[in-house]
Amino acid sequence: MNYCVVGLQWGDEGKGKVVDVLAEHSDIVVRYSGGSNAGHTVVVGETKFALHLLPSGSVRPNVSCVITNAVVVDPDVLIKEIETLAQKGITLKDRLLISENAHVVLDYHKREDQLREESLGKKKLGTTIRGIGPCYADKAGRSHAIRMGDLRNLEEIKAKLQTIVEYKNKVFAAVYNTEPISADRIYEKCKSYADQFLTFTTDTTEFLHRSIADGKSILFEGAQGTLLDLDHGTFPYVTSSNSSSLGMPAGCGVPAKMVDKFIGVAKAYTTRVGAGPFPTEQDNEIGQYIRDKGNEYGTTTGRPRRCGWFDAVAVSYSAKIGAIDEIALMHLDTLAGLKEVKICKAYRIKEDRGQKTEDRGQKTENRRETRPAEASRGRTTWFPANTAKLSQASPIYETLPGWDDDITEVNDFHKLPSNAQNYIHRIEEITGKKIAIIGVGPKRSQTIFRAEGRRQKTEDRRQK
Ligand code: IMP
Ligand code: MG
């Protein structure tokens, strides 16, 4: 089986853990987009790993780890990550492959990211300042790009860096009035990257196709989340790559039809780091409760994450464009102790210049609910991935009773408090997707597998 695991919200859904659990049955794990802006936490026994660039499955010592073409590689971060794993007794020797066509994040990218964010003041995007956007911009611009395979020819890189750094320094001085950076210093770093990484650098597309032909099982790991996708997310408050599952085929050269199952990961609530619209945000004591209990602070930047209710409109959209087969719903334990829990099942969006926001599905629902025509105006169950529209959206909630019990030791769906089961069922009904995996804590063992999800739901109802 080949799986693709992808986030359905704004990142940090708990993909790291889902991937780690699935990697047990995989031969190869693949990172196909983004860079060290990602932060994946994996807990093995008592040891916690915070990974940024390596696939989360790399903590399993027997799997091959592949970083493909569309990933932007910061070799400084990669070196640190490899060392951290080595200190914990995990080696990547002979099992790491990096695409020769993956672009390299260099110091000037990080500098540019930081300077641009600072210059934007209140209008900043809230990036991770890892140089991701500037590196992808150079990739699209082509003439200033450096790829992993280029490290094979250091003479050429030396000449190229002179041109690039001269240009960057002119911009840094003219626009940001800052000190120049040294091309020689970056060249020295490139030399050391060549020493350390050329043995891992290869044609990963060929490797993946050969592996598929040999019947190996591959796990494709998404980074960030669908709503941060450059083309399909909440632009400009997005990352600079196709972080949805749509980015998988382009990112690694393997067609989506070679994937047997797409698993979408969502949290039982919603979080977002950085700026941008967030309709279900709870900037109040509920948000704080979730932040503290769920330890919602960024793995990469340490920033407190914005927290809010589960947004079924957003998740349904992500599931639709991502051809998601099943949902993994993480952090269900975090919601314990709340008197009531809410699911956003539609938005009301002020109609703009005669735009009709009502969709067909909603019309049927409104008829059923015999809503007055007035009340249904501007109501939609389709997520507008357009920031101007989305910032006008007010959530329409369904409120459900909460549960008090600690569920962190529960390993069977039927042993969950009935209100928690009910919460899961409602999310399944609203999104139309099966919730096959439920996370009740950070450890591998704190995972409920519910392969019979849908059938069980029907049975449960029959029993009622
Ligand atoms: P960048 O990817 O560093 O350019 O940041 C752009 C936006 O994406 C910011 O709002 C970041 O907080 C967000 N972002 C990038 N990577 C992640 C991630 O792994 N999890 C959550 N948010 C992310
Ligand atoms: Mg993260």
Side-chain angles (χ1 to χ4, degrees):
M1 287 281 273
N2 298 328
Y3 290 98
C4 178
V5 174
V6 65
L8 299 180
Q9 296 159 320
W10 281 286
D12 306 311
E13 297 92 347
K15 295 178 292 293
K17 181 181 146 176
V18 175
V19 162
D20 172 57
V21 170
L22 292 174
E24 191 185 351
H25 310 286
S26 307
D27 302 303
I28 300 163
V29 290
V30 177
R31 255 301 289 275
Y32 62 79
S33 74
S36 64
N37 49 349
H40 293 153
T41 311
V42 184
V43 181
V44 182
E46 296 306 311
T47 316
K48 190 168 163 178
F49 297 88
L51 299 172
H52 300 285
L53 208 44
L54 284 170
S56 305
S58 57
V59 302
R60 301 255 177 201
N62 300 320
V63 297
S64 299
C65 304
V66 188
I67 294 176
T68 65
N69 305 30
V71 176
V72 287
V73 178
D74 180 339
D76 289 341
V77 174
L78 198 53
I79 291 163
K80 262 200 217 124
E81 237 154 68
I82 292 173
E83 279 169 2
T84 312
L85 286 191
Q87 280 160 13
K88 291 174 180 168
I90 300 173
T91 171
L92 283 150
K93 200 167 170 289
D94 302 327
R95 65 183 186 100
L96 174 65
L97 295 93
I98 305 170
S99 169
E100 59 198 357
N101 294 337
H103 287 247
V104 187
V105 179
L106 294 163
D107 286 346
Y108 47 75
H109 293 127
K110 290 179 253 191
R111 165 94 73 102
E112 198 177 324
D113 202 353
Q114 182 174 7
L115 291 170
R116 177 150 350 143
E117 280 286 272
E118 280 169 9
S119 75
L120 287 169
K122 279 197 178 137
K123 292 217 161 114
K124 70 177 181 185
L125 300 176
T127 74
T128 59
I129 324 195
R130 297 297 187 105
I132 307 301
C135 184
Y136 277 115
D138 277 347
K139 167 178 164 176
R142 291 149 295 152
S143 45
H144 285 173
I146 291 188
R147 310 206 281 182
M148 289 302 291
D150 296 340
L151 297 171
R152 292 186 187 122
N153 191 336
L154 286 168
E155 279 314 303
E156 226 168 78
I157 281 211
K158 192 173 193 173
K160 200 167 178 184
L161 277 173
Q162 293 298 334
T163 317
I164 299 172
V165 173
E166 189 185 331
Y167 171 86
K168 301 273 181 196
N169 278 339
K170 278 186 191 157
V171 176
F172 290 157
V175 182
Y176 304 109
N177 195 22
T178 57
E179 295 295 302
I181 47 172
S182 150
D184 289 343
R185 197 178 127 66
I186 295 186
Y187 171 68
E188 287 306 317
K189 284 182 101 171
C190 284
K191 254 174 41 186
S192 107
Y193 300 156
D195 285 345
Q196 296 180 75
F197 289 114
L198 279 181
T199 50
F200 299 112
T201 304
T202 184
D203 181 340
T204 52
T205 312
E206 195 256 333
F207 172 78
L208 290 175
H209 280 271
R210 190 160 25 91
S211 303
I212 290 170
D214 289 347
K216 302 272 195 245
S217 1
I218 307 181
L219 178 55
F220 298 91
E221 301 185 21
Q224 289 85 40
T226 302
L227 304 176
L228 287 172
D229 186 288
L230 179 62
D231 292 301
H232 304 285
T234 50
F235 190 90
Y237 303 103
V238 290
T239 190
S240 30
S241 62
N242 287 120
S243 51
S244 67
S245 66
L246 295 165
M248 181 237 124
C252 65
V254 175
K257 72 176 183 186
M258 289 183 163
V259 175
D260 300 289
K261 204 177 255 186
F262 283 91
I263 298 179
V265 188
K267 262 192 286 220
Y269 44 92
T270 312
T271 64
R272 171 161 212 179
V273 268
F278 178 178
T280 64
E281 180 169 18
Q282 298 299 300
D283 190 10
N284 53 30
E285 66 287 356
I286 289 174
Q288 192 58 45
Y289 181 88
I290 294 174
R291 189 174 304 116
D292 291 339
K293 194 139 181 273
N295 189 27
E296 293 296 353
Y297 296 88
T299 321
T300 303
T301 57
R303 289 180 288 180
R305 295 179 184 141
R306 299 157 66 192
C307 301
W309 295 120
F310 185 83
D311 188 340
V313 179
V315 168
S316 300
Y317 164 79
S318 298
K320 221 163 254 166
I321 68 165
I324 295 304
D325 296 297
E326 289 174 351
I327 291 179
L329 196 78
M330 312 311 284
H331 274 265
L332 185 65
D333 53 303
T334 302
L335 295 181
L338 291 167
K339 222 189 198 81
E340 44 189 35
V341 283
K342 295 189 184 196
I343 301 172
C344 168
K345 58 177 185 177
Y347 295 152
R348 193 173 308 288
I349 303 181
K350 269 189 245 147
E351 286 198 26
D352 186 20
R353 284 186 234 113
Q355 253 163 359
K356 270 229 156 294
T357 45
E358 229 177 64
D359 67 1
R360 250 190 246 137
Q362 199 54 58
K363 274 185 191 151
T364 324
E365 190 184 330
N366 289 342
R367 225 179 290 135
R368 218 177 25 236
E369 289 176 6
T370 56
R371 287 184 158 275
E374 179 95 312
S376 71
R377 199 175 295 151
R379 188 176 156 139
T380 179
T381 51
W382 179 257
F383 181 83
N386 172 291
T387 298
K389 277 193 208 161
L390 189 63
S391 32
Q392 295 296 313
S394 2
I396 299 174
Y397 289 114
E398 176 168 317
T399 304
L400 298 158
W403 57 93
D404 274 329
D405 327 44
D406 172 16
I407 58 169
T408 52
E409 298 304 323
V410 177
N411 52 19
D412 174 352
F413 179 76
H414 298 99
K415 293 192 179 133
L416 285 171
S418 61
N419 285 349
Q421 292 188 29
N422 189 34
Y423 184 66
I424 300 281
H425 286 152
R426 281 304 290 145
I427 293 179
E428 284 187 318
E429 280 163 353
I430 298 169
T431 59
K433 294 287 168 190
K434 178 165 107 183
I435 295 177
I437 299 172
I438 300 168
V440 292
K443 293 187 190 153
R444 276 177 184 167
S445 57
Q446 293 172 304
T447 315
I448 301 174
F449 290 93
R450 205 168 142 253
E452 303 300 313
R454 265 194 184 295
R455 196 161 40 144
Q456 198 58 54
K457 187 176 63 181
T458 324
E459 275 167 21
D460 287 348
R461 280 232 203 74
R462 258 191 232 123
Q463 279 170 18
K464 266 190 198 160

